[in-house]
Amino acid sequence: MKKIVITGMGAVTPVGIGVDNYWKNITDGVSGIDTIRTFDPSELAVQIAGEVKNFNPSDYLPKDLIRKTDPFMQYAYIAAEEALKQSKLEIEPQRTGIVMGTAMSGIATIAYTQDALSGASHKKVGPRFIPKILGNIAAANIAIDYNIQGPSFTVSTACSSGGDAINTACMCINTGKADAMLAIGAESVLCPLVIYSLANAKALSRRNDSPSSASRPFDVTRDGFVIGEGGGALILETEEHALARGAKILGVIKGCGNTGDAYHVTAPHPEGRGAIACMQQAIEEAGIKAEEIGYINAHGTATNKGDSVETSAIKKVFKENLPYVSSTKGATGHMMGAGGITETITCVKAIETGVLPPTINLSEVDPECAGIDFVANTAKKADIKYAMSNAFGFGGQNSSIIVGKY
């Protein structure tokens, strides 16, 4: 196993664009959830989401790229650009690769295009439609502009896609296929089609009258998750490669886990067997003891079963040595494929700064989740060496990433 380090990070989120803005607002307990502005949601049962605020793509991207990309691709590109700039990576084309993680690719563009087609004519379907909705084209656009010719993968493992992008990128480095990898996650699914389906499945919060307090991970009054959108990116390299070019190292990828529940297409295994195995796998790969992990950024979506099963799984893995746990989805909503990356960035920043971001809107811990310090409402200071990011998805997909101090 090679020592894999992080040399660049980028984030586009409902609480801020850029890692610095994201981190400041997430630790200050700012909520990025509000009434949907992208379209008129007044006819929908769910009218709230974590949208990327004050986003004008022309501030970041050339006009031609905007025309041919879905918003999730734009978020991916901007996050990747920030990460690459921070890392100062001089790309060696065939020794640099890219892995993209996204759960639903261009589903909103598909829905809106079908609406236009149903109400008009075939002329409403443009020649850019297909490349605009394909998940891998997000990576392709970045690879084309930065001449990245190495391994190129797009993973779609529901809401664990971002975490699995990191894992896949590490595999590419460990097998010698690349010296540096760009791991990205991005999502933008806001459209009536997606909201209707998730609302009818009773998965979404319906607190339309109080958006900022709607996402309530681990709270006894939680009533479902809130859709979020955005993008995140990491530059991963071998330690040897990073040191040879004098890069500033931000953290270390210590271990990755990936398992399947083999139980149900939407519900987690009631005993959390996949989540337990995933966390244990990551700890084993990291070569550390469970008690050395000081913080977990939980999947913590604020669904009834999800939060309680994850809490139970954490208790079974860590036993009496329970770390601090928080869910930043109280602030951002559920960013799906993007969350596995932005929440890993959260772990890197927590180690770097000694500040643990809060779980906002946590007024009363559900008795089924009791016994863990969820960093309720206000950030805490803690000197930690290792942190874990969990991302779990439909189909029983589980991802755990452990990062460490360099």
Side-chain angles (χ1 to χ4, degrees):
M1 291 280 289
K2 298 177 182 179
K3 192 169 190 178
I4 298 174
V5 298
I6 301 164
T7 58
M9 305 191 296
V12 178
T13 80
V15 295
I17 298 174
V19 170
D20 289 345
N21 290 329
Y22 166 69
W23 181 244
K24 181 183 186 306
N25 287 326
I26 213 78
T27 51
D28 285 350
V30 173
S31 171
I33 296 165
D34 205 340
T35 302
I36 294 169
R37 310 287 183 197
T38 307
F39 59 89
D40 180 6
S42 58
E43 299 298 316
L44 303 180
V46 174
Q47 301 168 11
I48 55 175
E51 295 175 296
V52 177
K53 310 291 188 301
N54 305 313
F55 178 69
N56 183 355
S58 61
D59 291 341
Y60 304 91
L61 304 169
K63 288 182 181 178
D64 181 60
L65 188 60
I66 295 169
R67 281 194 296 268
K68 64 185 183 184
T69 52
D70 180 276
F72 92 92
M73 298 179 182
Q74 296 168 14
Y75 300 152
Y77 194 102
I78 294 163
E81 192 169 55
E82 182 186 10
L84 285 162
K85 184 177 179 180
Q86 183 183 32
S87 75
K88 299 178 182 175
L89 178 67
E90 293 184 11
I91 291 168
E92 303 163 66
Q94 294 183 351
R95 296 299 301 164
T96 307
I98 187 166
V99 183
M100 176 71 200
T102 181
M104 289 193 269
S105 305
I107 191 167
T109 291
I110 294 170
Y112 292 129
T113 303
Q114 181 60 54
D115 281 348
L117 179 61
S118 299
S121 70
H122 65 88
K123 292 180 181 179
K124 291 291 184 179
V125 183
R128 296 187 179 95
F129 171 70
I130 295 299
K132 200 171 182 178
I133 65 168
L134 294 175
N136 74 299
I137 303 300
N141 282 320
I142 297 164
I144 290 164
D145 282 1
Y146 288 95
N147 195 23
I148 297 172
Q149 299 178 29
S152 180
F153 293 98
T154 296
V155 297
S156 185
T157 48
C159 299
S160 72
S161 297
D164 288 332
I166 296 171
N167 195 350
T168 305
C170 289
M171 290 180 193
C172 290
I173 293 173
N174 274 317
T175 55
K177 296 184 184 298
D179 299 314
M181 293 290 297
L182 180 54
I184 314 164
E187 211 75 66
S188 183
V189 304
L190 283 171
C191 63
L193 178 68
V194 171
I195 292 173
Y196 274 128
S197 179
L198 290 171
N200 288 339
K202 296 182 170 55
L204 299 180
S205 171
R206 301 192 179 213
R207 294 175 186 266
N208 297 322
D209 55 343
S210 58
S212 64
S213 62
S215 182
R216 309 178 67 80
F218 307 110
D219 193 89
V220 70
T221 64
R222 67 189 183 279
D223 67 333
F225 74 87
V226 176
I227 296 172
E229 63 173 359
L234 295 173
I235 304 296
L236 307 178
E237 305 178 58
T238 63
E239 179 188 39
E240 180 183 15
H241 187 267
L243 291 176
R245 67 182 189 83
K248 180 181 178 181
I249 294 174
L250 307 175
V252 182
I253 301 290
K254 291 293 293 182
C256 303
N258 171 282
T259 62
D261 281 4
Y263 172 72
H264 193 273
V265 293
T266 56
H269 187 276
E271 295 176 2
R273 76 178 170 202
I276 291 168
C278 189
M279 288 185 277
Q280 289 175 334
Q281 186 184 105
I283 292 167
E284 183 177 348
E285 184 174 287
I288 61 176
K289 296 177 181 177
E291 56 263 34
E292 294 182 80
I293 294 173
Y295 169 67
I296 297 175
N297 189 285
H299 185 57
T301 59
T303 59
N304 184 36
K305 289 181 180 178
D307 285 9
S308 58
V309 168
E310 184 178 11
T311 301
S312 173
I314 289 170
K315 290 177 180 177
K316 288 172 182 174
V317 171
F318 292 90
K319 300 181 173 65
E320 69 275 6
N321 299 299
L322 291 168
Y324 290 106
V325 177
S326 72
S327 171
T328 44
K329 290 183 178 72
T332 65
H334 191 354
M335 293 167 64
M336 301 182 183
I341 304 280
T342 58
E343 291 161 14
T344 298
I345 290 171
T346 303
C347 290
V348 174
K349 295 297 290 183
I351 292 170
E352 176 195 321
T353 63
V355 176
L356 308 182
T359 305
I360 67 170
N361 303 321
L362 182 51
S363 300
E364 182 183 352
V365 175
D366 185 333
E368 290 190 5
C369 302
I372 288 178
D373 188 333
F374 290 110
V375 195
N377 302 307
T378 305
K380 285 190 175 181
K381 291 187 176 181
D383 184 16
I384 59 171
K385 188 176 180 182
Y386 301 110
M388 174 187 282
S389 172
N390 284 339
F392 306 140
F394 280 2
Q397 297 284 162
N398 304 295
S399 166
S400 294
I401 306 295
I402 297 173
V403 296
K405 185 178 289 186
Y406 182 71

